[in-house]
Amino acid sequence: MSRRKDGGGGGGGGLLVAGTTSDAGKSVVTAGICRWLVRRGVKVAPFKGQNMSLNSFVTREGAEIGRAQAMQAQAARVEPSALMNPVLLKPGSDRSSQVVLMGRPVGEMSARGYHGGRQEALLSTVVDCLEELRGTYDAVICEGAGSPAEINLRRTDIVNMGVARAAQLPVLVVGDIDRGGVFASFFGTTALLSPEDQALIAGYLINKFRGDVSLLQPGIDMLEGLTGRRTYGVLPFAHGLGIDEEDGLRVSLRGSVRESALAPPVGEDVLRIAVCALPLMSNFTDVDALAAEPGVVVRFVDRAEELVDADLVVVPGTRGTVKALEWLRERGLADAIARRAAEGRPVLGICGGFQILGEHIEDDVESRSGRVPGLGLLPVRVRFAREKTLARPVGEALGEPVEGYEIHHGVADVRGGVPFLDGCRVGEVWGTHWHGSLESDGFRRAFLREVASAAGRRFVPAPDTSFNSLREEQLDRLGDLIEEHADTDALLRLIESGAPSGLPFIAPGAPA
């Protein structure tokens, strides 16, 4: 792939993958294009100017970015960095979010305050990061957010047409045909943009199609006649495609997580794992590695009776620890977890969940509730610090090497128990701040053996499950979808040369 020589933008080629809606498949398509390109020998990187997600990741340099961008970096076979996601918003309520800039938190802000001026001021930072990547890589595949036709937010946009205009990126609009109305969505998205924005909308990509593609062709032809823009491919609906979810406000298990529930156990029994679906749940992908094991069934729960038959209860991370603790008490889940602990039945707390299992929490930062009693199941006292801990720890537990990552304001004072990673264990109650530890295959198997023994289950972990290999298989499947069902020659031209000239304007458009 040669470098771009036209005006605007940096050295390397680029593409913005936008969507007609949230969850149209932008993350999947971006990852698939990255994997397809790197298999062709193209040096490629992912990018998302602004991400709203409770599912985040820590890079090796200690920067917090959206986990979807970390997954896309793996698809591109490059190390993730803060350049790939310069602005991350972590919701703390329906109206406010923590703003993470270049991997570091810079404060809480209301939606009105952010869109009222701060967001627009960040455009130069976003564009600078993109241009630095384009100066290093042959191609940068950018992911948009929501829809580019959110005309109420266009003036302050830094992730869709705002960044496309600033960097002169061609835009590929993805539509989820499984929801219906995909042709109207493509046309309406284009027609609601200003002439200057429309000039960068190069064409469309249909996602999640079921059936005979030939029956779709008349609609594709009519859409091109109406808009002057081609459709670059029709991706079929693919069962079990798993990537790291962006939105921690939605409960969803994907890919190998769903499929693994159907895999037969190696031993005589299955293991049933219940994950408490906490408010503002974060990094719920921690349980993906558990669900990747044959014979392990993972489900999210919000009622006390759903814990009765669980062999392990997981209290996951959350952006609102005190709020989650109140929620557990209101629903009777706190009492159910305490009864389990008294009966010697396994409970695992991760990050915010670990803090909840402790004696008390002193929070003058997140909820500003002061001292709040925890569940008292672990000899741990937590104090929230204004500075966030961001780290990539390495250690050993249960005789196995473990890697993880930490994202938390809570500082744990561990006053007893058996050491467990950075936390502790008392009986069958375990707690740690480490996210991602269960992706370490040997440790995960050892932990599941402990759980099975305590639960009285004749469960045996599979000896050869490699979580990283499963993730690589998923990324290869995404690359295959692009290679087999998109016009890859046309995509390469688009990435290298930009949007075609002379694309027609579709009325009514929006004010410039």
Side-chain angles (χ1 to χ4, degrees), residues 365-445:
V365 176
E366 193 174 77
S367 68
R368 300 180 182 177
S369 300
R371 178 174 289 198
V372 177
L375 298 189
L377 305 182
L378 291 175
V380 176
R381 297 176 183 179
V382 176
R383 176 184 55 82
F384 271 60
R386 296 198 177 277
E387 188 71 20
K388 181 184 284 190
T389 297
L390 297 170
R392 288 281 293 270
V394 176
E396 183 178 302
L398 303 179
E400 298 286 347
V402 189
E403 295 184 17
Y405 58 99
E406 296 183 64
I407 306 170
H408 54 92
H409 284 279
V411 178
D413 177 12
V414 180
R415 299 184 164 216
V418 178
F420 174 62
L421 301 177
D422 70 328
C424 65
R425 171 188 183 182
V426 174
E428 294 305 323
V429 180
W430 313 63
T432 177
H433 273 131
W434 290 23
H435 295 290
S437 63
L438 294 163
E439 295 179 18
S440 298
D441 296 327
F443 165 69
R444 181 180 65 254
R445 287 192 277 269

Side-chain angles (χ1 to χ4, degrees), residues 442-471:
F443 165 69
R444 181 180 65 254
R445 287 192 277 269
F447 177 71
L448 288 176
R449 282 193 290 268
E450 292 269 349
V451 169
S453 175
R457 296 288 185 188
R458 293 186 295 273
F459 169 85
V460 178
D464 55 354
T465 301
S466 166
F467 186 71
N468 188 64
S469 295
L470 289 172
R471 180 174 280 161

Side-chain angles (χ1 to χ4, degrees), residues 26-47 67-80 84 137 141 242-244 468 471-480 482:
K26 296 182 293 290
S27 296
V28 169
V29 170
T30 300
I33 292 175
C34 285
R35 179 49 60 101
W36 158 66
L37 284 173
V38 77
R39 293 195 308 206
R40 291 180 60 102
V42 176
K43 188 179 179 184
V44 60
F47 179 80
R67 194 167 168 97
Q69 278 60 66
M71 175 275 301
Q72 290 161 355
Q74 182 173 349
R77 296 177 182 151
V78 296
E79 190 67 32
M84 297 172 184
Y137 293 88
I141 308 303
I243 64 164
D244 295 344
N468 188 64
R471 180 174 280 161
E472 281 292 311
E473 288 173 12
Q474 296 284 18
L475 294 173
D476 276 331
R477 289 182 66 195
L478 296 179
D480 292 343
I482 298 298

